[in-house]
Amino acid sequence: MPQQEPSSAPAEPRAASVEIRTAARAALIPTVRAVASDLAARADFDLDAISDLRMAVDEACATLVGLAEPGSSLRCTFDVHDERIDVAAQVLTGADATLPTDSFGWRVLQTLADQVAVETGAVDGGRPALTIRLHKLAGPAL
Amino acid sequence: MVDSHGSRHDTYRSGPEGSPSRPRRCARPSSVVRPHTEVIPLPGSAPAEPSRDDGAPDQDLLVDLGVAVSSPRAGLTVLTVRGEVDALTAPRLATALDELMSGPDDHRVALDLQGVTFLASSGLGVLIDTARRAARDDRTLVVVATARAVLRPLEVTGSAQLFTVVPDLTAIPGP
């Protein structure tokens, strides 16, 4: 099972925070989306919301893995709150990587998640990174 | 698990990813089995199953999709899909659908997705392309689906209307 570290959750003491890191490879995304699905189920999410979160996390990860530096990692953090899960998925990228926001997949992601945002910036001593943050509410939102 | 017939269709037969029926795969990070490796253990060093050489870059993980063509009655061709349709497996579905749609156009074609346990936008894209092609050819693409894993993505994206969705094969209307 994912490691739960409630003591280290930064912002909200009640949020359970789960972080997983995999090689940035498409073949490992099923693992990440399974974790997302599992967390949503345990947080008593609506069945449609579980399905939506699983798809949204898959989409975010698939998009990022396609832009990741060869041999780098995909890092996903899940913050489980009472009524929502916040997800941050991050990869290291090349200097000029941009995330396509006009694709079918991106529109699907926007539909599935209650909120989506992209962040670019440097991490780990200046290495460029892309982060997708999404929020999913526990109840039916569509 | 490859069965005695060499068929790969059973590999995803049961349930959602991470279900206990797939214990040898790494769908759940297990601190019990591999306590000293990375967070997500890579099973490449201990392949549990042979992998088909299709040139995919991730041969060490089982990512195959079960696809099979059958003709349960005259004038009807069915493509049965099992597994998870995501960015990795969607090309296999696209190839199979391309072959299906290239068949004799007096045949009704159906896509049996009852064994599909996950459908990503990449898979949806393939289905939508096929539905549009069918419409251009004046054919009907029937989709057999009952599970949320398929129906929800179709519903959320508004693409259910592109298909004739039925609950089982016997509900497919005759030619």
Side-chain angles (χ1 to χ4, degrees), chain B residues 2-165:
Chain B
V2 176
D3 63 24
S4 56
H5 308 99
S7 163
R8 303 180 64 87
H9 297 160
D10 293 339
T11 50
Y12 280 88
R13 169 167 283 169
S14 51
E17 54 199 343
S19 67
S21 60
R22 297 165 55 189
R24 287 195 292 168
R25 244 162 294 135
C26 63
R28 287 169 190 270
S30 167
S31 59
V32 176
V33 178
R34 291 185 178 89
H36 302 303
T37 56
E38 301 95 322
V39 177
I40 306 299
L42 298 172
S45 57
E49 295 159 49
S51 55
R52 183 180 300 176
D53 182 15
D54 59 1
D58 289 303
Q59 287 295 306
D60 53 344
L61 288 173
L62 182 68
V63 293
D64 207 355
L65 190 70
V67 290
V69 176
S70 62
S71 185
R73 64 172 193 249
L76 173 66
T77 306
V78 177
L79 179 70
T80 302
V81 185
R82 287 204 179 92
E84 300 180 324
V85 185
D86 61 8
L88 221 47
T89 58
R92 185 174 297 282
L93 176 62
T95 303
L97 278 171
D98 192 48
E99 288 170 11
L100 181 74
M101 300 305 290
S102 301
D105 57 9
D106 57 334
H107 272 227
R108 184 173 288 266
V109 288
L111 190 54
D112 183 351
L113 300 181
Q114 290 179 99
V116 170
T117 52
F118 181 70
L119 182 59
S121 72
S122 41
L124 269 176
V126 170
L127 296 184
I128 290 168
D129 286 348
T130 306
R132 290 188 175 139
R133 173 176 174 181
R136 274 200 307 274
D137 297 347
D138 206 21
R139 303 175 81 175
T140 307
L141 182 64
V142 178
V143 169
V144 185
T146 49
R148 188 182 308 269
V150 172
L151 295 179
R152 178 66 179 172
L154 292 178
E155 173 197 329
V156 168
T157 57
S159 44
Q161 60 191 12
L162 295 171
F163 311 94
T164 303
V165 182

Side-chain angles (χ1 to χ4, degrees), chain A residues 1-3 19-23 25-35 37-38 42 46-49 51-52 54-55 58-59 62 104-106 108 111-112 136 140-142, chain B residues 16-18 26-31 38-43 57-61 63 84-88 117-122 124-125 128 148-149 152-153 155-157 159:
Chain A
M1 299 312 301
Q3 293 183 348
E19 180 176 318
I20 60 175
R21 192 177 67 232
T22 72
R25 296 168 57 203
L28 292 167
I29 294 176
T31 305
V32 181
R33 66 181 185 237
V35 169
S37 185
D38 183 271
R42 288 170 188 280
D46 177 78
L47 290 176
D48 283 339
S51 175
D52 293 353
R54 187 176 172 210
M55 260 187 100
D58 177 82
E59 184 62 40
F104 173 68
W106 188 258
V108 171
T111 304
L112 292 166
K136 186 66 193 169
L142 294 165
Chain B
E17 54 199 343
C26 63
R28 287 169 190 270
S30 167
S31 59
E38 301 95 322
V39 177
I40 306 299
L42 298 172
D58 289 303
Q59 287 295 306
D60 53 344
L61 288 173
V63 293
E84 300 180 324
V85 185
D86 61 8
L88 221 47
T117 52
F118 181 70
L119 182 59
S121 72
S122 41
L124 269 176
I128 290 168
R148 188 182 308 269
R152 178 66 179 172
E155 173 197 329
V156 168
T157 57
S159 44

